Amino acid sequence: MDKPKVSIVRIEDYNSEEIYQAIKQSLQLLGGLDKFVKPKSKIFVKINHISPPSPAEKGLVTHPAFTKEVLRLLKERGHEVVVGDDIQSKEEDGFLISDYRQACEELGVLLINLKEKGFKEVEFQGRLLDKVYLSQACLEADYIINLPKLKTHSFTIYTGAVKNMYGIIPYGLRLKYHRQYIRNDDFSQMLVDVLSCAPPQLNIMDGIMAMEGEGPSAGNLRKTGLILASPDAVALDAVATKIMSLNPLDIFTTYYAHNRGLGMGRIEGIEVVGETIPDVQVKNFKHSAIAVGLFRRKLPSFLYAYFQEQLVLIPRIKKEKCTACLECIEICPMEALQLHQDTAVLNRRKCIYCMCCHEVCRYNSIELKKRFIGRIVQVIYNAYHKLSFLFS
């Protein structure tokens, strides 16, 4: 059986012509675009456009300049293309602030908020789910092309190709699942269930500017200068996390998807073409403080349960930065936040530590704190990864 391929191509910045050539090269290394999608097909392009909308230069979304060049390639092959994500926005058009509306209009490509076309119930046999509502735009397409952004995540450690497909289900259902699956491992198993319903035929990752630290929205930008592509979402995530100096199978979404035969999560089972992983691996890439995958399969279950509790990040509102925009209050699945004297206030007894409030805050007014034991474990974890990088 042939190994799945992941291509890695270097690129300096978001210059349009350079992106176009780099994406074209990344696909040629895999055998060319036509190997994965037949000419003149209906294609749904799933972007990463988290809510609320933000300017592209903040690094929260798949950069519109990146997406535009993917669309340009698709248009050249005569494809009928729909671009979208399910977003919440107080603005009338949530795609304006990120420049997505302008980019798609220039190419004559339809850009939609997925709720505009609605969702359809699909029954299946997942590990945790037996039915889910999927985007009509996704179901009506001949092929799905997934454009994730390279980012850390304060709940799932990493967010990439697998997790980006979570956006094809409705916002309300996503909140429900946050309430229902409050552990990282259960939540990740649910994400893999969603992936299994609509696996993309091609994944192309915007790794030109990544996010490190407490992503996906409150971390720090890190220039990585890479484009990754693969027909295998799991293999792409495995390579991306290895570049971030993480063990791919410590990421629950990769681990579960690999074990369920939905893709290849072992680096040795992947053929990397273009650049090599050692040549592009990022030194001292800052992981989220919740990066507990190291302990998942290296400790007895009773100890792991204890450490997981200690490593939980606790949101704290920075009153001096809160703008009373209400975004965190509206997104909280447990209604644990309320407005008091023009500042968001958290009821810790209701909080399930899903990090939705942290993810949605555009003003960095929510910081994440850790218990004392958790801070000690984090020091050990950081030392482990520094040694792993030195001897890898």
Side-chain angles (χ1 to χ4, degrees):
M1 183 177 176
D2 292 337
K3 293 182 177 180
K5 288 184 180 181
V6 175
S7 64
I8 306 175
V9 174
R10 290 184 191 266
I11 182 170
E12 279 300 310
D13 53 38
Y14 287 104
N15 176 281
S16 61
E17 190 56 35
E18 288 181 13
I19 298 173
Y20 176 83
Q21 294 300 334
I23 291 172
K24 200 170 182 179
Q25 181 186 354
S26 70
L27 297 180
Q28 287 171 343
L29 287 166
L30 300 175
L33 180 61
D34 290 350
K35 181 178 179 179
F36 308 105
V37 294
K38 295 178 181 179
K40 298 183 179 179
S41 298
K42 291 179 65 176
I43 297 179
F44 171 64
V45 176
K46 171 62 174 71
I47 56 174
N48 182 208
H49 195 289
I50 66 174
S51 305
S54 67
E57 58 268 19
K58 285 194 172 184
L60 279 61
V61 304
T62 311
H63 202 289
F66 178 88
T67 300
K68 188 175 179 180
E69 299 312 311
V70 173
L71 300 180
R72 185 175 153 196
L73 277 167
L74 295 175
K75 292 283 285 183
E76 287 175 354
R77 302 301 296 164
H79 297 296
E80 180 185 339
V81 184
V82 174
V83 181
D85 202 353
D86 184 57
I87 65 171
Q88 294 295 112
S89 174
K90 291 182 178 179
E91 292 82 8
E92 186 176 346
D93 186 347
F95 292 113
L96 281 173
I97 192 171
S98 63
D99 289 332
Y100 257 92
R101 182 63 64 195
Q102 300 89 317
C104 288
E105 283 182 351
E106 284 181 27
L107 291 175
V109 171
L110 179 62
L111 170 65
I112 63 167
N113 192 339
L114 297 187
K115 56 178 60 67
E116 296 171 21
K117 287 185 72 72
F119 300 85
K120 181 180 179 180
E121 186 179 74
V122 174
E123 295 184 356
F124 70 108
Q125 291 299 316
R127 292 295 189 271
L128 297 177
L129 306 177
D130 56 13
K131 62 182 177 180
V132 73
Y133 286 85
L134 297 182
S135 162
Q136 285 280 17
C138 183
L139 293 172
E140 292 169 2
D142 298 319
Y143 301 97
I144 300 170
I145 294 182
N146 186 21
L147 304 185
K149 180 82 174 174
L150 180 59
K151 296 188 289 187
T152 50
H153 197 283
S154 296
F155 183 47
T156 58
I157 305 174
Y158 159 83
T159 174
V162 172
K163 190 174 184 300
N164 193 42
M165 295 307 294
Y166 192 42
I168 64 174
I169 70 175
Y171 170 78
L173 196 55
R174 298 201 302 272
L175 289 186
K176 176 186 175 182
Y177 290 158
H178 270 292
R179 289 193 298 268
Q180 194 169 346
Y181 305 111
I182 60 175
R183 287 171 48 127
N184 183 354
D185 47 357
D186 288 339
F187 187 78
S188 297
Q189 189 77 273
M190 177 274 300
L191 292 175
V192 175
D193 277 352
V194 174
L195 174 77
S196 71
C197 292
Q201 280 72 37
L202 186 60
N203 307 270
I204 311 172
M205 173 173 276
D206 172 9
I208 302 173
M209 289 294 294
M211 183 168 285
E212 63 178 3
E214 299 307 333
S217 59
N220 301 310
L221 293 181
R222 180 74 180 262
K223 183 177 180 180
T224 41
L226 299 173
I227 292 174
L228 283 70
S230 179
D232 185 329
V234 184
L236 187 144
D237 280 351
V239 171
T241 48
K242 188 68 175 177
I243 289 170
M244 297 162 70
S245 301
L246 285 164
N247 179 352
L249 292 177
D250 281 345
I251 306 302
F252 288 120
T253 48
T254 303
Y255 177 76
Y256 289 133
H258 171 82
N259 284 351
R260 288 164 61 172
L262 295 173
M264 174 55 66
R266 293 184 295 102
I267 289 295
E268 58 270 27
I270 301 167
E271 181 182 353
V272 177
V273 292
E275 301 289 339
T276 66
I277 293 176
D279 285 344
V280 299
Q281 197 166 27
V282 182
K283 295 181 180 179
N284 302 317
F285 195 98
K286 295 179 181 177
H287 307 144
S288 168
I290 197 65
V292 297
L294 164 67
F295 305 103
R296 179 64 177 96
R297 287 169 292 279
K298 296 179 175 65
L299 290 174
S301 58
F302 73 94
L303 276 180
Y304 171 69
Y306 172 75
F307 279 121
Q308 177 168 275
E309 177 66 22
Q310 295 302 311
L311 285 160
V312 162
L313 295 172
I314 303 166
R316 188 182 79 84
I317 311 298
K318 294 189 282 186
K319 294 181 180 180
E320 69 279 6
K321 287 193 174 184
C322 182
T323 65
C325 69
L326 306 182
E327 299 283 3
C328 62
I329 293 172
E330 292 171 358
I331 202 171
C332 179
M334 300 303 293
E335 299 182 353
L337 287 150
Q338 61 182 7
L339 193 66
H340 179 68
Q341 296 181 348
D342 295 327
T343 302
V345 177
L346 175 69
N347 183 337
R348 287 272 298 276
R349 287 176 297 179
K350 289 186 175 181
C351 182
I352 59 172
Y353 314 114
C354 65
M355 306 305 157
C356 286
C357 59
H358 179 258
E359 179 173 337
V360 80
C361 183
R362 289 179 280 181
Y363 307 101
N364 293 330
S365 65
I366 300 177
E367 63 181 348
L368 302 176
K369 292 290 187 178
K370 186 175 288 179
R371 294 178 175 90
F372 175 72
I373 295 296
R375 293 198 295 272
I376 294 174
V377 174
Q378 187 66 47
V379 171
I380 297 170
Y381 175 85
N382 290 341
Y384 167 85
H385 272 286
K386 283 182 180 179
L387 289 172
S388 296
F389 184 84
L390 287 173
F391 293 103
S392 62

